[in-house]
Amino acid sequence: MSGWGAGAGGVPSGMSGGFVPSVPRPGGAVPPWRGGGGAVPPGVPPRWGAGGAGKTPWWQQEGMISRVLAVAGVGVTLIGVVMLLVLAAQAGFFGPVPRVVAGGVFSAALIGGGARVFGRAGGRVGGISLAATGIAGAYLDVVAVTAIYGWLHPVVGLAVALGVAAGGVGLAMRWQSQPLAVLVVAGAALLSPFVTSGLVLLAFLIVLQLTCVPVQLIRDWPFLHVVRTVPAVLATLLAIAIAAVDDPAQSRVHWLLAAAVAIAAIGVIGGLLVVRRRSGDIVAALTFALSTVPLLAAPVMFERHSATYVAAVHAAVLLTVAAMWMVPKLRELVRIPGSIAFVAAIAGSFALLEACVGVTRVQTLPIALFLVALCYLGLAGQQRSRSTAAIGAAFTLVATMVFFGTVTPEALATQRLAHERLGIATALGAVLAFAVIVVALWCARRLPGMTTGGTDESMLFVVASIAGLYAVTAAAVSIGIATGSADGFIIGHSAATILWMAAATAALFFGLRNLSRSAAVAKLALGSGLLVTAAALAKLFLFDLATLDGLVRVAAFLVVGVLLLLAGTRYARAFAEAGATNPD
């Protein structure tokens, strides 16, 4: 961490045995053993790591031992403060007033000693460690006075704690020391759970998260981003997990929701303010992402309706932040950085998924997910955004897995299972799945880096063709079942075969029309058309011939045969015309 630096007078802080400062000689000369030449005179200890012996071990590096000892001293001393405030109370030692006063006086003495030592030569490390211990101890003292002894109303106690923490980070800014701020926040956050617990603990941890936001606007201190966010997030997540299992009182659940909202709000506001000043601050964007996690987990505490409401509101807020970045005028107005918009889009998508799960049942869930995927893929194609396309693809994958769990190949091939599982919901889901396939193809062709007519595009069309055939079959059979007819299953499969062949004929006609205009487009269309034709014929002879009966089977064979004749005739004429135009 930066900020330990050199002490007053230019003397490196934290010197341990084996380090000898370079003492200037008259005329500005430096002793030869310090300048890299000459032998080391007798009585002068050699410098660690000198002589090209390789990389200096960490414990021999200048100032390292002093920093390790300082951090250890901070931790041990703060544990002693906690013992004074808590363990002494449990054992009945002293009275409440002596314990609290002793803790306050001790903390004040440490802060004063730190300020005094800091201004001396080589006193930077000691000053930082003493001041950090004193400030964190004072914070723990306020926590004890509020949570254990009840001498301060919680609101007053939180206000005093805010003042103590603000004083600590203010001193860190004045001393330009990130380690001081980190030690204050980390020490108070790590030891507060030993003083109190529950909602009071969450409140004091959120105060620490809030206090450090203004610091990040001025100083680029990435470690402070982490230590101000992680304790509040982890403690709230643990409390939410316990509440989801224990079935606590509604008031506690609402307070936990309020804590999650506060953490998320501080995260999004702090992230926006910081990254607007320093667009490359990735740590700020990551801590913003971390701050959204408790609110994403909060719905598990509620029943279905309330959980859906919480997730929907959270999704609306985050996706609004992400959407502002996509509108040029709004982006210039609010100056939302791309990293924050990306994190908001990802977190908002998770919240939207929670809302979709909450508002639907198993059979209707694919409908909601395919609709969301359709919106994302359409927006991605319009904006040419890879990240938005990736989110749309993720929703498509989840929707497909859920849809496939109901509309299995066995359900499509067996009349009994089809009548049990399929209906209007699966029909609508299949239609939306087909729409997603079409929009996904359009989106993929518009994304940067997609080469027209390449191998990747050919494979994409092959996969899309197979998925499209499955969606058409599912839609046709589901609609047939939904009509309530006894022959709905048979009629649906007959219609599916005809639709397969109709789509193949249309693809072949489109490809033949583009033979002279675009060879790449013609190749893709003709390849897809021939593939679907082969699939239609395979289904006709391998499945329909054995399953269908009566006029339905006759109609399927007649329509497919006529379409084959039309396709073959048009195919022969197109290549004959091409040969006449280019006799060579």
Side-chain angles (χ1 to χ4, degrees), residues 208 211 236 382 520 547 569:
L208 289 174
T211 305
T236 307
Q382 193 270 332
T547 305
T569 303

Side-chain angles (χ1 to χ4, degrees), residues 415 419 477-492:
Q415 188 169 3
H419 279 279
V477 177
S478 296
I479 292 173
I481 297 296
T483 60
S485 172
D487 295 329
F489 176 79
I490 297 174
I491 295 172

Side-chain angles (χ1 to χ4, degrees), residues 102-201:
V105 171
F106 184 61
S107 298
L110 289 173
I111 297 172
R116 187 177 182 86
V117 171
F118 184 83
R120 297 179 179 179
R124 185 175 180 85
V125 173
I128 290 172
S129 57
L130 288 172
T133 307
I135 297 167
Y139 194 90
L140 295 172
D141 209 30
V142 175
V143 174
V145 166
T146 306
I148 297 178
Y149 304 115
W151 295 350
L152 293 177
H153 187 275
V155 175
V156 178
L158 292 174
V160 175
L162 180 65
V164 172
V169 295
L171 182 63
M173 292 177 64
R174 182 178 178 183
W175 287 0
Q176 300 183 16
S177 172
Q178 180 179 198
L180 174 57
V182 169
L183 288 174
V184 168
V185 176
L190 291 175
L191 292 175
S192 289
F194 295 96
V195 180
T196 186
S197 60
L199 296 174
V200 177
L201 172 63

Side-chain angles (χ1 to χ4, degrees), residues 282 284-290 292 318 322 338-349:
I282 301 301
L286 292 177
T287 52
F288 160 54
L290 189 62
T292 64
L318 290 175
S339 58
I340 292 294
F342 177 75
V343 170
I346 297 296
S349 298

Side-chain angles (χ1 to χ4, degrees), residues 498 501 537 540 554-568:
I498 293 171
M501 194 60 221
L537 290 174
L540 185 68
V554 172
F557 271 80
L558 286 177
V559 174
V560 171
V562 170
L563 290 175
L564 280 171
L565 290 173
L566 289 174

